[in-house]
Amino acid sequence: MGRCDGKVALVTGGASGIGAASARMLAAQGAQVMIADRDTANGKAVAAEIGSNAAFVALDVASQDSWDAAVAATITAFGGWNVLVNCAGILRHGSIESETMDDWRQTMEVNVKGTWRGCKLAVAHMKAGGGSIVNLSSIAGIEGGADLCAYSTSKGAVRLLTKSVALYCAERGWQVRCNSVNPGIIETPMLETYFAERDDPQAEREAWDRVMPLGIRGEPEDIGHMIVYLACDESRLVTGAEMVVDGGAMAR
Ligand code: NAP
């Protein structure tokens, strides 16, 4: 018996990194998984690799129409929907001085409004039968980053959006849990791109390697384990929580 038997999960950002790892791990525990991403080629490849328990739908989390279609496709494909993993996100390097309004808007559109749209649709659907929403925040949403101005702001917003949704549902007696996961530094394409765009990628890499006291480079599966726990009923008493998976960084 799988830990996620009976779960139908829509995983945004499921074509890459943490989302792809989570999709694989949820399916391995018995969930049916809709991989939703703007990256169609990789999204389809992840779904094909998982097999008959997975499908792919194109999703731009910044578009309401796209969200509506992705949710409808999930319910049609699997006959229900009770887990949402909001993993799609973008990371732009920029300080209060260097970043433009366009950088800011794009980050908020995807990281904050995209997550908000997903939460809104999930609550509307899941309030009748229960469910679990997992939002990807970050340790950058707990402590500020001088050169991650919009990103830090967006991830802080996701933390508190999560708590608001959790309380709203709990106070109405709806068994819809909502939690954030706050990863430390995880080896994904997002991180590779971030380093590649720095003036001195090697120096930046070395600096970031010192962030997590355990001294282990985080892998997407380290976050996937937490997402599986939050998706399944083992976490039935957990809502509104910030699940920090960061090699001890926030313990400082
Ligand atoms: P990733 O490898 O870049 O994967 C993110 C996926 O989301 C990509 O497939 C990306 O497509 C997709 N995406 C971006 N914008 C989208 C949109 N508007 N609609 C639909 N899909 C979109 O990143 P990751 O490192 O796995 O990150 C996953 C989540 O964890 C993000 O929310 C991130 O902020 C958070 N996080 C990551 C780390 C880390 O160290 N990696 C740490 C803390 C938090 P494209 O490739 O086309 O952009």
Side-chain angles (χ1 to χ4, degrees):
M1 194 175 137
R3 295 162 68 201
C4 297
D5 284 351
K7 303 300 182 194
V8 175
L10 191 167
V11 182
T12 78
S16 179
I18 294 168
S22 306
R24 291 187 188 101
M25 293 167 80
L26 288 162
Q29 290 298 331
Q32 294 175 291
V33 182
M34 182 59 84
I35 291 153
D37 204 293
R38 67 180 177 184
D39 180 344
T40 300
N42 281 322
K44 284 184 175 171
V46 174
E49 175 203 320
I50 293 172
S52 59
N53 270 354
F56 171 78
V57 65
L59 170 67
D60 176 358
V61 298
S63 155
Q64 187 63 47
D65 288 347
S66 184
W67 258 115
D68 292 342
V71 168
T74 303
I75 294 167
T76 301
F78 300 122
W81 180 34
N82 49 24
V83 174
L84 170 63
V85 183
N86 272 313
C87 225
I90 55 173
L91 171 64
R92 301 270 184 272
H93 185 260
S95 69
I96 187 63
E97 288 203 288
S98 68
E99 72 189 3
T100 63
M101 183 58 86
D102 201 40
D103 297 330
W104 177 270
R105 279 206 193 98
Q106 276 181 31
T107 302
M108 297 306 149
E109 199 61 55
V110 175
N111 293 3
V112 183
K113 290 164 78 176
T115 303
W116 179 88
R117 287 188 172 99
C119 288
K120 195 169 179 67
L121 287 166
V123 169
H125 183 81
M126 295 177 192
K127 63 186 179 185
S132 173
I133 303 168
V134 183
N135 294 330
L136 270 291
S137 176
S138 170
I139 57 170
I142 298 175
E143 61 173 18
D147 292 318
L148 293 173
C149 184
Y151 184 78
S152 279
T153 307
S154 74
K155 292 301 182 179
V158 168
R159 279 172 66 211
L160 289 178
L161 165 66
T162 300
K163 290 173 192 289
S164 177
V165 172
L167 288 174
Y168 182 82
C169 292
E171 287 169 3
R172 279 156 186 76
W174 302 339
Q175 297 303 308
V176 182
R177 298 180 295 104
C178 186
N179 295 286
S180 66
V181 178
N182 298 64
I185 295 162
I186 309 299
E187 304 297 314
T188 68
M190 176 184 278
L191 195 68
E192 284 167 27
T193 304
Y194 179 83
F195 289 137
E197 290 174 352
R198 299 284 68 71
D199 291 339
D200 187 346
Q202 185 59 29
E204 193 89 7
R205 169 86 257 184
E206 286 167 10
W208 283 43
D209 273 344
R210 291 191 289 273
V211 168
M212 300 201 291
L214 273 180
I216 302 168
R217 286 187 177 173
E219 296 297 335
E221 290 73 17
D222 292 311
I223 308 306
H225 287 298
M226 179 59 77
I227 292 172
V228 167
Y229 168 70
L230 291 172
C232 77
D233 296 340
E234 293 163 13
S235 58
R236 66 178 195 150
L237 206 59
V238 182
T239 197
E242 299 167 13
M243 310 302 268
V244 175
V245 185
D246 70 343
M250 292 299 97
R252 285 196 171 109

